């Protein structure tokens, strides 16, 4: 692994390592199966998700607002719904997990997450997919109260790294999130595929097999 000016590598999770946590297709699949009125759900989702993914409310409150209060006649409990929400999470790119493991074992970079996710789903995903051993620390919207692409979460990431922003390299599948990182002085790679990521990491002096 070549020496590099990069000191910290920040990874998005959903769309790079794993599937997303609770996107529209996942919501449609789970809620339709359970008989939830999707139109009523989606009408409540944006406002409820704004606070949930910022860690300002919990999962039970989120689903009470979006599901249970909108479907009072539905025989459904949080304890039935939540495992089905969690089951939507799957490995998206095993090759990226392998790269991450190799980089962590090399020990030459600090490696952290920089992702949007509710506190509960993030904790579930870190445990279920054994991600805690692959990262040194976690910058998650559910922990720090702000979401990509707003500047605050990137500033938190930079300050937590302890290094100048230009020594941070951020990997994300959304261009707007990469652009926001660059605006804060970070470097960024928009993820398209494991092969493309491997090539672009090498261009930053970070080689993985």
């Amino acid at each position: 692994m070549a020496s590099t000016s990069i000191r910290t590598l920040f990874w998005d999770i959903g769309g790079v390592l794993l599937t997303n946590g609770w996107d529209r297709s996942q919501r449609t699949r789970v809620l339709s199966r359970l008989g939830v009125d999707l139109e009523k759900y989606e009408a409540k989702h944006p406002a409820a998700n704004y606070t949930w993914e910022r860690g300002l409310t919990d999962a039970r409150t989120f689903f009470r607002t979006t599901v249970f209060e909108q479907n009072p006649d539905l025989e459904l409990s949080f304890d039935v719904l939540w495992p089905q929400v969690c089951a939507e999470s799957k490995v998206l790119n095993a090759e990226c997990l392998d790269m991450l493991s190799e980089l962590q074992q090399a020990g030459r970079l600090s490696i952290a997450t920089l992702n949007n996710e509710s506190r509960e789903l993030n904790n579930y995903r870190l445990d279920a997919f054994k991600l805690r051993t692959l990262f040194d620390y976690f910058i998650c919207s559910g922990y720090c109260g702000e979401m990509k692409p707003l500047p605050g979460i990137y500033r938190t990431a930079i300050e937590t790294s302890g290094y100048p922003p230009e020594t941070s390299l951020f990997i994300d599948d959304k261009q707007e999130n990469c652009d926001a990182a660059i605006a804060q002085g970070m470097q960024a790679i928009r993820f398209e595929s494991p092969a493309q990521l491997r090539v672009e990491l090498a261009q930053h002096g970070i080689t993985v097999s």
Side-chain angles (χ1 to χ4, degrees), residues 19-39 41-42 45 52 62-63 66-68 71 74-90 121 124-125:
T19 56
N20 289 326
W22 188 234
D23 65 18
R24 183 179 289 269
S25 63
Q26 293 168 318
R27 302 194 298 266
T28 299
R29 188 160 46 245
V30 171
L31 299 178
S32 296
R33 184 168 64 238
L34 295 172
V36 173
D37 187 314
L38 291 176
E39 185 175 348
Y41 174 89
E42 291 296 341
H45 177 85
W52 189 37
F62 173 82
F63 285 107
T66 57
V67 174
F68 303 122
N71 299 265
L74 194 63
E75 293 185 4
L76 179 64
S77 69
F78 179 82
D79 290 338
V80 170
L81 173 59
W82 182 246
Q84 298 191 47
V85 172
C86 292
E88 287 296 306
S89 292
K90 296 177 173 55
L121 265 179
Y124 165 76
R125 283 149 69 89

Side-chain angles (χ1 to χ4, degrees), residues 173-185:
D173 63 314
K174 293 184 174 63
Q175 188 62 52
E176 64 176 345
N177 293 340
C178 291
D179 291 342
I182 292 167
Q184 296 303 313

Side-chain angles (χ1 to χ4, degrees), residues 1-9 103 106-110 163 166-169 187 189 200-207:
M1 196 171 299
S3 63
T4 173
S5 62
I6 300 299
R7 305 295 297 270
T8 310
L9 197 57
L103 291 167
R108 298 188 181 182
L109 298 168
S110 292
Y163 295 110
E166 63 271 15
T167 67
S168 291
L169 178 59
Q187 301 186 58
I189 296 173
E200 295 206 33
L201 284 173
Q203 291 171 357
H204 288 274
I206 303 167
T207 59

Side-chain angles (χ1 to χ4, degrees), residues 93-146:
N93 289 298
E95 285 182 65
C96 289
L97 289 171
D98 291 341
M99 287 185 223
L100 187 53
S101 178
E102 182 179 339
L103 291 167
Q104 182 60 259
Q105 289 176 34
R108 298 188 181 182
L109 298 168
S110 292
I111 302 177
T113 64
L114 179 47
N115 66 310
N116 289 344
E117 195 66 85
S118 68
R119 184 182 296 266
E120 296 94 340
L121 265 179
N122 194 69
N123 289 342
Y124 165 76
R125 283 149 69 89
L126 294 181
D127 290 334
F129 298 95
K130 298 180 173 57
L131 299 183
R132 294 189 188 276
T133 61
L134 300 180
F135 293 99
D136 299 307
Y137 56 94
F138 307 93
I139 306 297
C140 174
S141 64
Y143 303 159
C144 61
E146 193 53 277

